[in-house]
Amino acid sequence: MSSFAIYRLPYASRCTLVGQTDGTSLALQSPRQLQGREGFVVAPFLASDSQPILLIRPDRKEVLCSDREITDCMTGMTFHDPYGELSPGGDRTTYAADFSVFHAPLVAGRFQKIVLARCASVPRPAGLSPVDLFLSACKLYPRMFVALVSTPQSGTWLTATPEMLLEHSGDEWRTIALAGTMRLSANDLDSEGERQKWSEKDIREQHYVATYVASCLQRLGIPYEETSPRTVRAADLLHLRSDFTFTDDSHIHFSELLEALHPTPAVCGLPDEEAFRFIISHEHAPRRYYSGYMGPLGQDTHLFVSLRCMLIAARHCLLYAGSGLLKESDEQQEWLETEAKLETMKKCIAAKKTSIS
């Protein structure tokens, strides 16, 4: 197959393979071009000629129920690597410099919030295949959306993300506001984190995202129901989450809704357009398809923000993470938050590295 995606929805016991048998994936520049189409979407943070929104045509679709079925089905697949040697991720000094650049406009009142991302280059152990990493992620992270995607344009990406962007099934729609991050303590690793207390900074950060989502729905004239923020677990991290649900009617146009929601302040900032331009101009490492979105599109649509992800190359894996900065943010604490988020993908590598040693 020329392009494919294999994915598992949160808490699901089965995986789905979507594959395009020939040709390159459909390359688009706007979410509005997705209207009425079907397949698997892979969208970048910023759509461009070199990194377009991709739609993998569903020439082949299979539901797979076991590791053996997945391994057999993926045998002989081509994993694309258009980038060649990946440049190393930014080090501690680089992050500190980026933080200073991003924090200054927050202090000056230019932004309410802005997200600073970074990447880290990790050697890929010999004999470690992308399929191994996918299976490892599925076992480690049952609560999360896990996907392995490979196209000639995007390269090969693995994600295990907790953040749903937009779902549509039957006449029901759903989106969420997810923000705030806290590491689970050792004594609470067997819980859902319900005993943890959130800081004012995290509560305010999640409120910004929820307010943004509500304003998008209101602007489009969509009546909705919103839940109060609750604690949810993703790997060994906790987040605050509010759910927004609404029903299908003639006022809802999928592509307009998607265009309004992405990028949310959870991966960008506020004001959204100005923060987006600032990130593109000042962030040290290009995000590529990190903090974009991906997932199946069609009768049942499940799109997730591409967080906790890695770009898989021949000899290295480039891991991505970001954190939301507010005026009172501390550089050391934000660095540690990104380190905790990078652990999600590092554990996939470590688990399979141990098994093949």
Side-chain angles (χ1 to χ4, degrees):
M1 288 187 290
S2 62
S3 301
F4 67 86
I6 183 169
Y7 66 90
R8 191 217 59 201
L9 294 173
Y11 297 102
S13 59
R14 300 180 296 177
C15 299
T16 302
L17 172 72
V18 177
Q20 183 170 322
T21 54
D22 56 33
T24 56
S25 304
L26 184 63
L28 309 171
Q29 291 299 317
S30 168
R32 298 200 177 211
Q33 295 174 283
L34 292 170
Q35 186 72 39
R37 298 184 186 274
E38 182 180 357
F40 190 95
V41 180
V42 188
F45 179 66
L46 169 66
S48 65
D49 290 340
S50 59
Q51 286 164 174
I53 299 170
L54 301 171
L55 184 64
I56 300 173
R57 192 175 64 239
D59 298 333
R60 175 182 172 189
K61 191 171 182 178
E62 293 187 40
V63 176
L64 307 168
C65 299
S66 68
D67 289 4
R68 174 58 63 87
E69 284 184 341
I70 293 169
T71 301
D72 290 347
C73 185
M74 301 295 285
T75 299
M77 291 283 196
T78 298
F79 293 95
H80 301 283
D81 180 14
Y83 298 106
E85 284 297 315
L86 297 171
S87 59
D91 58 15
R92 187 70 179 79
T93 302
T94 301
Y95 182 82
D98 281 356
F99 179 90
S100 178
V101 170
F102 275 61
H103 193 240
L106 287 164
V107 174
R110 182 177 169 186
F111 303 124
Q112 293 173 284
K113 171 188 175 177
I114 193 164
V115 175
L116 172 59
R118 56 177 282 247
C119 61
S121 182
V122 177
R124 177 180 165 187
L128 184 63
S129 76
V131 178
D132 291 331
L133 292 169
F134 173 77
L135 293 173
S136 179
C138 287
K139 288 181 174 63
L140 288 169
Y141 308 122
R143 301 171 179 85
M144 298 158 83
F145 174 77
V146 180
L148 175 65
V149 180
S150 190
T151 77
Q153 303 100 311
S154 68
T156 302
W157 290 79
L158 175 71
T159 186
T161 176
E163 185 169 356
M164 183 260 290
L165 179 63
L166 186 61
E167 287 189 332
H168 182 209
S169 181
D171 64 350
E172 294 185 347
W173 296 76
R174 186 159 62 101
T175 186
I176 67 170
L178 188 81
T181 301
M182 188 190 316
R183 187 193 285 266
L184 268 174
S185 61
N187 295 332
D188 288 311
L189 288 175
D190 60 347
S191 75
E192 295 299 308
E194 60 274 6
R195 295 186 293 270
Q196 301 298 316
K197 301 297 183 182
W198 288 95
S199 70
E200 286 298 321
K201 185 258 186 186
D202 286 319
I203 292 171
R204 186 142 50 88
E205 184 182 347
Q206 198 276 338
H207 176 71
Y208 285 152
V209 180
T211 301
Y212 175 86
V213 173
S215 68
C216 289
L217 298 176
Q218 291 164 5
R219 189 169 67 249
L220 293 172
I222 300 173
Y224 62 89
E225 293 184 1
E226 178 184 358
T227 65
S228 299
R230 71 183 191 278
T231 299
V232 293
R233 180 173 175 177
D236 294 341
L237 300 177
L238 302 175
H239 305 287
L240 281 169
R241 166 175 168 167
S242 301
D243 286 59
F244 296 79
T245 56
F246 40 103
T247 56
D248 206 349
D249 61 32
S250 59
H251 293 98
I252 299 177
H253 296 281
F254 162 78
S255 59
E256 291 183 8
L257 182 55
L258 181 58
E259 189 172 55
L261 290 173
H262 174 75
T264 73
V267 297
C268 186
L270 288 169
D272 55 331
E273 291 186 9
E274 188 177 359
F276 184 80
R277 291 192 297 268
F278 188 90
I279 289 169
I280 296 303
S281 299
H282 295 89
E283 210 161 57
H284 177 79
R287 294 193 181 190
R288 300 186 174 100
Y289 286 85
Y290 163 70
S291 70
Y293 54 89
M294 65 171 65
L297 174 69
Q299 187 173 3
D300 287 331
T301 293
H302 304 274
L303 301 182
F304 287 78
V305 183
S306 303
L307 305 177
R308 319 293 152 80
C309 61
M310 69 166 81
L311 172 59
I312 304 171
R315 289 187 287 182
H316 290 83
C317 299
L318 205 58
L319 283 55
Y320 292 80
S323 64
L325 309 186
L326 303 184
K327 180 172 63 175
E328 62 269 34
S329 291
D330 173 76
E331 187 264 340
Q332 173 68 8
Q333 291 301 314
E334 300 298 339
W335 168 265
L336 292 176
E337 180 176 322
T338 62
E339 285 286 285
K341 290 174 176 176
L342 291 174
E343 281 298 316
T344 302
M345 288 289 103
K346 287 182 179 179
K347 284 184 177 180
C348 296
I349 297 172
K352 283 302 177 180
K353 181 180 179 181
T354 300
S355 68
I356 62 177
S357 296

